[in-house]
Amino acid sequence: MSTDPGIRLSDLVRVALRGSEQLPDAGPGGADPVIRDVTLDSRRVGPGTLYAALPGAVTHGARFAEQAAAGGAVAIVTDPTGAELIAAADVRLPVVVVADPRGRLGAVAAEVYGHPAERLMLFGVTGTNGKTTTTYLLHSVLTRLGRRAGLIGTIEARIGDERIKSARTTPESPDLQALFAQMVEAGADSCAMEVSSHALALHRVDGVVVDVAGFTNLSQDHLDFHHTLEEYFETKASLFTPEHSSSAVVCVDDEWGRRIARSATVPVTTLLTRSADSYLAPSSMAESDVDWRVTHTTPDLDGPGMRVQLTHREGHVWNLTSPLPGDFNVANTCLAALMLLRVGLDPAEISTALAGAPGVPGRMEVVAPDGHSGGLPLAVVDYAHSPGSIAAACAALRSTGSTPLVVVLGAGGDRDRTKRQAMGTAAVEGADAIVVTDDNPRSEVPATIRATVLDGARSAQQRLSGQGRRVPVVEEIADRRAAIARGVRLAIELGAAASGGNGTSSGTRPTVLVAGKGHEIGQEIAGVVHPFDDRVVLAETLADCRSEAATHHPEGQR
């Protein structure tokens, strides 16, 4: 809750709700009450709250106006339909009526909480993959450089030492502004936040202008919401306008990034992490036109990540260390570094802080019992849940010698159905074996989801067979715990077969990648969330396998 003394409803209407119609029924605080908080959840209403009664996918928020009034709401903002419902329920509160209340809520919340975002150095990251990793890297560097940084994203929000589990990637605008206000109150001077396409489309970040906006990449995702890839792109691109940002750093590895670099109406720094000219369409951008490009990468012999050489188009070189494995994490690291450089931080200090940044929960997270593998497969958990992210995760592991590679994956229910086949295809093309299982089926029939993923996998198998290429193993196990156990044992079996039973081949290591859920600690099935953490289950399976190996091969008999 905000500690701001609040704002009179009449002033709020004048400043943020111009053109609205006010129905001044008397209620707590009279017809012109003081507004101290805003929420669109009637269960979170308290004294001094403005309740935003918005139309929803299932029902209208105005149907909960009585509950909001009982909780202490002093006014309501809604649309004409909501006003009729409130009048029918005889709720006696001042009601402000606007045609599109969601579209005005960002400005309302910013006003109520005193525009806290203006007192923070803000970094906003958008794109299909890499948002979480990039924001964690930003937050880590800022903190290591002595700044008091906040974090807002898919996994959690951080305010000082406090960690708040996230319900969505980018909070609704009242919650977002309240988080900013709490950060300012706690002494924060900066914040790294993920900006989802849903947040941009649903006006959650209206009233917020980030100092630097970052773009990672774009591939198929969320088409259940955006309908087309072009609509998805245009929503992402709206971040790179003066309404939402002051400057930008854009990764131009894909055509979507190049389009944003061309269309952005704020100053842009461009980044290319793939050095071949073939990645760039000659008609749109030449490699020599890119501001910064990755010119050399090598594995970091002192850690799990990569050493990176960035070269500016004028010739000067910047050496960085990515603390995380894989080419896509090179891109995430460079994006974070350039966003920090954009606000004037010292490049040498950025480099040092980045090299010591910790891993990101559920993002290429290595799992092992007691902190080591004991000769078992490398075990990795990643949030990859789209065709592009699965392909990138497989490629990252391959680049570090992961062979054979087993992928355990499923697809989420009540989400973009068009990506499911492509997810199965990407896994088959990137791995030596895949185990298709349940992710979060939600309200859908799990077997139907698995069947679609399997269609893509088996089509890829047939194509590879027709080309005379290696055909990966494809299995189906509905229970996710059993599927993870099978994935580990399959990696052991394939590794033994590849080495003739004498251990792993030189320069290779059997690996199991459990994809899709990452940091999540629950599995939603038929509306019920069951406790489930891929990392815990994977660690338990590895421990069981190690115990089995010790039983079958006791010390002195190997």
Side-chain angles (χ1 to χ4, degrees):
M1 181 176 290
S2 172
T3 58
D4 187 88
I7 180 173
R8 287 283 177 186
L9 179 62
S10 59
D11 292 330
L12 186 62
V13 169
R14 175 177 53 81
V15 174
L17 290 167
R18 291 185 296 273
S20 62
E21 177 187 0
Q22 185 175 353
L23 309 178
D25 289 330
D32 192 19
V34 175
I35 307 297
R36 291 186 170 85
D37 285 286
V38 187
T39 185
L40 45 74
D41 186 342
S42 61
R43 297 165 296 183
R44 296 173 58 186
V45 167
T49 299
L50 172 67
Y51 175 53
L54 308 184
V58 177
T59 190
H60 201 295
R63 297 189 183 279
F64 302 97
E66 288 180 279
Q67 182 179 346
V74 294
I76 301 174
V77 59
T78 190
D79 63 359
T81 300
E84 293 176 4
L85 292 170
I86 292 166
D90 196 29
V91 175
R92 299 298 181 89
L93 289 177
V95 178
V96 181
V97 184
V98 293
D100 179 19
R102 178 176 285 280
R104 309 290 285 278
L105 195 55
V108 168
E111 199 67 42
V112 170
Y113 293 112
H115 297 277
E118 295 179 358
R119 284 168 275 175
L120 296 167
M121 178 185 290
L122 285 178
F123 300 85
V125 183
T126 198
T128 303
N129 304 310
K131 296 187 298 296
T132 299
T133 298
T134 304
T135 52
Y136 264 80
L137 291 171
L138 287 164
H139 178 268
S140 177
V141 173
L142 289 165
T143 302
R144 285 169 173 266
L145 295 183
R147 301 189 71 96
R148 298 178 64 86
L151 174 73
I152 298 172
T154 303
I155 299 175
E156 62 187 356
R158 291 187 181 182
I159 304 172
D161 295 330
E162 182 182 5
R163 299 189 179 194
I164 305 166
K165 183 180 177 182
S166 294
R168 50 179 56 87
T169 297
T170 311
E172 294 285 1
S173 54
D175 298 327
L176 180 64
Q177 294 292 339
L179 281 172
F180 289 149
Q182 291 173 47
M183 288 178 186
V184 170
E185 186 177 350
D189 56 19
S190 52
C191 176
M193 63 180 290
E194 297 182 51
V195 183
S196 68
S197 58
H198 286 70
L200 289 161
L202 297 174
H203 304 283
R204 293 176 191 163
V205 291
D206 283 13
V208 177
V209 179
V210 301
D211 292 276
V212 189
F215 176 80
T216 59
N217 52 64
L218 190 137
S219 60
Q220 181 179 339
D221 205 3
H222 303 307
L223 297 192
D224 55 320
F225 180 80
H226 295 289
H227 308 300
T228 68
L229 201 55
E230 183 65 26
E231 180 183 329
Y232 179 38
F233 164 76
E234 290 176 354
T235 303
K236 294 281 192 188
S238 67
L239 179 62
F240 302 88
T241 62
E243 290 75 21
H244 292 302
S245 61
S246 297
S247 65
V249 179
V250 176
C251 184
V252 295
D253 287 349
D254 60 29
E255 178 57 27
W256 304 108
R258 296 190 285 277
R259 285 181 61 183
I260 285 179
R262 293 195 302 269
S263 64
T265 50
V266 296
V268 173
T269 297
T270 51
L271 163 68
L272 179 67
T273 73
R274 301 171 177 177
S275 60
D277 285 320
S278 59
Y279 289 111
L280 294 172
S283 62
S284 61
M285 182 178 291
E287 187 171 346
S288 59
D289 295 331
V290 176
D291 294 310
W292 290 92
R293 57 191 176 93
V294 173
T295 47
H296 189 61
T297 61
T298 57
D300 179 14
L301 300 180
D302 298 322
M306 305 283 286
R307 294 191 182 276
V308 185
Q309 183 186 74
L310 265 178
T311 302
H312 192 266
R313 55 188 168 83
E314 294 181 354
H316 49 274
V317 172
W318 191 13
N319 292 311
L320 300 171
T321 298
S322 170
L324 304 168
D327 290 343
F328 65 94
N329 278 318
V330 167
N332 295 332
T333 300
C334 292
L335 180 64
L338 291 174
M339 291 177 72
L340 293 162
L341 189 68
R342 182 93 213 186
V343 296
L345 297 186
D346 180 76
E349 293 182 350
I350 294 171
S351 301
T352 301
L354 267 176
V360 181
R363 269 60 176 179
M364 297 301 285
E365 184 174 351
V366 176
V367 177
D370 300 332
H372 61 85
S373 63
L376 295 173
L378 177 69
V380 179
V381 169
D382 192 68
Y383 193 53
H385 60 279
S386 67
S389 58
I390 289 169
C394 289
L397 291 169
R398 290 293 201 196
S399 70
T400 59
S402 289
T403 299
L405 173 61
V406 178
V407 176
V408 180
L409 82 158
D414 302 331
R415 299 294 186 269
D416 183 2
R417 301 185 182 196
T418 65
K419 71 179 180 181
R420 294 172 184 171
Q421 279 191 319
M423 289 170 65
T425 298
V428 165
E429 290 177 343
D432 299 292
I434 74 168
V435 181
V436 176
T437 187
D438 292 339
D439 190 290
N440 291 311
R442 298 185 176 89
S443 69
E444 289 193 59
V445 177
T448 302
I449 300 174
R450 294 195 307 274
T452 307
V453 177
L454 285 164
D455 282 345
R458 287 169 178 154
S459 295
Q461 278 183 307
Q462 293 174 1
R463 185 176 66 258
L464 292 173
S465 177
Q467 296 170 351
R469 296 168 58 190
R470 169 193 56 81
V471 178
V473 175
V474 175
E475 297 184 5
E476 177 188 11
I477 299 177
D479 181 79
R480 192 170 180 90
R481 179 178 291 272
I484 290 172
R486 175 56 180 155
V488 171
R489 288 172 168 81
L490 195 52
I492 294 172
E493 293 170 13
L494 293 175
S499 63
N502 296 316
T504 59
S505 302
S506 177
T508 65
R509 56 182 177 181
T511 300
V512 57
L513 167 66
V514 181
K517 290 170 56 59
H519 63 282
E520 295 176 356
I521 57 173
Q523 183 180 28
E524 185 176 347
I525 305 172
V528 178
V529 178
H530 304 269
F532 197 98
D533 188 325
D534 283 351
R535 298 163 294 184
V536 172
V537 174
L538 189 51
E540 291 172 349
T541 301
L542 290 167
D544 289 344
C545 289
R546 187 174 59 179
S547 296
E548 292 167 8
T551 300
H552 294 141
H553 303 284
E555 195 67 36
Q557 298 182 21
R558 295 182 182 176

